């Protein structure tokens, strides 16, 4: 018994030293999109990059050895970040380590429940929170008491589901290459929908109802690299967005930063930055094509209200979506988390030593 207690004490002291020396590991689990661009995956790679820049041992974690990766749509600096995968046994953790799991990976929480690490949920899509959890089970059942999310609306929703889980809001960032083009806008409509069938339905309906606009080009934003994505938005005169389960709305903000007005269906959980002045919003999806036609007519006649562009600019400025802000928020979160973990282990060590001496 004394030997076991000595080993436990040594392990706690070792964990304490690793935390103080920035040697604890942070594993950020990502889904395999098969090489397709996904904003939520981009955010995770960004987090790992930020933390490694500050000397933390952060890793991109994936489930399978045949993970496709992000080489098709993110820059080399992201591709070259260190990766680990669960299937090959790379995930070895101690009390000093952290595993950050997107909400869609409820089944992975079950695999990790007995591992001696801190488990944190990263929730970017509220609609997936319960998708892979067993009925009646919440994050707390898997030892999760912390959550990172991207908006106050989603944090409030999480509170209604899991009252004991503490949510920290870290809004996403938009890189500097999302910017207005130096050249005049072109008759291009950038379209981004969660369901690709919606994209094709809108395009086909538009050309049927507006044969006089057959020379207008639609660009489906799927499958583009991040920089090509930004470039297309920069030259487009209009963006169309349908994502009813979005809780933040990255695409319309990217569009506004690139100077492209947005026609969109309001999501169920309406982001706080959406106002009636900064876009052409509707609850009725059937009105989208008609609204696109009216906008294109006004754009060609140069009668789009200047106030729309002014409110777009104000929205981008007020949301403060700089990479520096996102990085500072993330570092502040983990600094506090690690400090609290150090205090917790120091207290455990202090309690263990007297017991060992008494024996």
């Amino acid at each position: 018994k004394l030997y076991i207690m000595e080993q436990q004490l040594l392990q706690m002291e070792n964990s304490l030293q690793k935390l103080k020396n920035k040697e604890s590991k942070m594993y950020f689990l990502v889904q395999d999109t098969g090489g397709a661009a996904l904003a939520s995956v981009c955010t995770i790679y960004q987090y790992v990059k930020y933390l490694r820049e500050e000397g933390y041992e952060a890793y991109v974690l994936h489930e399978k050895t045949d993970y496709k990766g992000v080489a098709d749509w993110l820059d080399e600096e992201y591709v070259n970040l260190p990766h680990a995968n669960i299937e090959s046994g790379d995930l070895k953790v101690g009390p000093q380590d952290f595993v950050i799991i997107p909400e869609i990976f409820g089944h992975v929480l079950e695999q990790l429940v007995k591992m001696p690490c801190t488990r944190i949920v990263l929730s970017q899509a509220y609609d997936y929170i319960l998708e892979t959890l067993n009925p009646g089970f919440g994050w707390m059942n898997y030892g999760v008491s912390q959550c990172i999310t991207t908006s106050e609306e989603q944090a409030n929703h999480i509170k209604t589901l899991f009252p004991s889980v503490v949510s920290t809001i870290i809004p996403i960032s938009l890189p500097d290459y999302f910017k207005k083009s130096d050249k005049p806008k072109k008759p291009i409509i950038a379209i981004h929908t969660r369901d690709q069938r919606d994209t094709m339905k809108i395009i086909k309906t538009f050309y049927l109802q507006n044969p006089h606009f057959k020379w207008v080009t639609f660009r489906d934003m799927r499958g583009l690299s991040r920089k090509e994505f930004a470039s297309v938005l920069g030259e487009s005169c209009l963006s169309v967005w349908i994502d009813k389960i979005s809780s933040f709305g990255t695409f319309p903000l990217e569009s506004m930063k690139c100077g492209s007005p947005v026609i969109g269906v309001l999501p169920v959980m309406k982001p706080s930055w959406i106002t009636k002045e900064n876009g052409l919003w509707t609850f009725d999806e059937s009105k989208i094509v008609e609204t696109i036609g009216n906008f294109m007519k006004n754009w060609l006649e140069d009668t789009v209200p200047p106030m729309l562009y002014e409110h777009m600019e104000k929205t981008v400025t007020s949301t403060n979506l700089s990479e520096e802000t996102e990085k500072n928020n993330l570092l502040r979160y983990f600094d506090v988390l690690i400090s609290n973990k150090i205090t917790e282990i120091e207290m455990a060590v202090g309690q263990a030593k007297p017991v060992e001496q008494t024996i």
Side-chain angles (χ1 to χ4, degrees), residues 31-43:
Q31 66 184 105
D32 190 346
T33 66
L38 194 64
S40 59
V41 172
C42 180
T43 297

Side-chain angles (χ1 to χ4, degrees), residues 249-263:
T250 307
F251 178 73
L253 285 168
E254 290 168 338
S255 299
M256 290 182 192
K257 194 175 180 191
C258 293
S260 300
V262 184
I263 293 174

Side-chain angles (χ1 to χ4, degrees), residues 171-172 174 248 253 273 314-322 325:
I172 59 94
L174 301 183
F248 189 80
L253 285 168
W273 58 263
K314 287 179 182 177
T315 300
V316 171
T317 303
S318 63
T319 47
N320 189 20
L321 300 178
S322 71
T325 300

Side-chain angles (χ1 to χ4, degrees), residues 171-228:
I172 59 94
S173 67
L174 301 183
D176 291 339
Y177 52 76
F178 281 92
K179 60 183 180 181
K180 297 175 184 176
S181 173
D182 296 332
K183 300 177 181 178
K185 292 283 190 178
K186 299 177 181 179
I188 296 173
I189 301 172
I191 183 167
H192 188 62
T193 65
R194 182 169 290 269
D195 187 339
Q196 192 168 19
R197 291 176 302 173
D198 289 331
T199 295
M200 296 313 301
K201 183 170 64 176
I202 288 170
I203 293 172
K204 291 177 180 179
T205 305
F206 177 83
Y207 286 134
L208 278 173
Q209 293 183 357
N210 300 276
H212 52 293
F213 284 145
K214 63 183 179 180
W215 47 271
V216 171
T217 302
F218 280 87
R219 284 295 304 268
D220 185 347
M221 302 301 282
R222 281 179 175 79
L224 304 180
S225 70
R226 284 288 279 169
K227 288 188 176 178
E228 186 182 2

Side-chain angles (χ1 to χ4, degrees), residues 235-249:
E235 63 183 8
S236 299
C237 68
L238 176 67
S239 289
V240 176
W241 177 60
I242 300 179
D243 187 352
K244 293 181 180 178
I245 65 171
S246 174
S247 62
F248 189 80

Side-chain angles (χ1 to χ4, degrees), residues 121-161:
V121 169
L122 173 59
S123 183
Q124 301 183 71
Y126 74 91
D127 199 52
Y128 296 145
I129 289 175
L130 302 176
E131 187 157 319
T132 56
L133 292 176
N134 291 322
F137 278 69
W139 294 338
M140 309 77 61
N141 296 96
Y142 303 105
V144 174
S145 61
Q146 297 264 351
C147 171
I148 299 171
T149 190
T150 53
S151 70
E152 187 174 350
E153 291 77 18
Q154 184 151 246
N156 292 336
H157 179 66
I158 291 167
K159 190 72 174 175
T160 65
L161 294 173

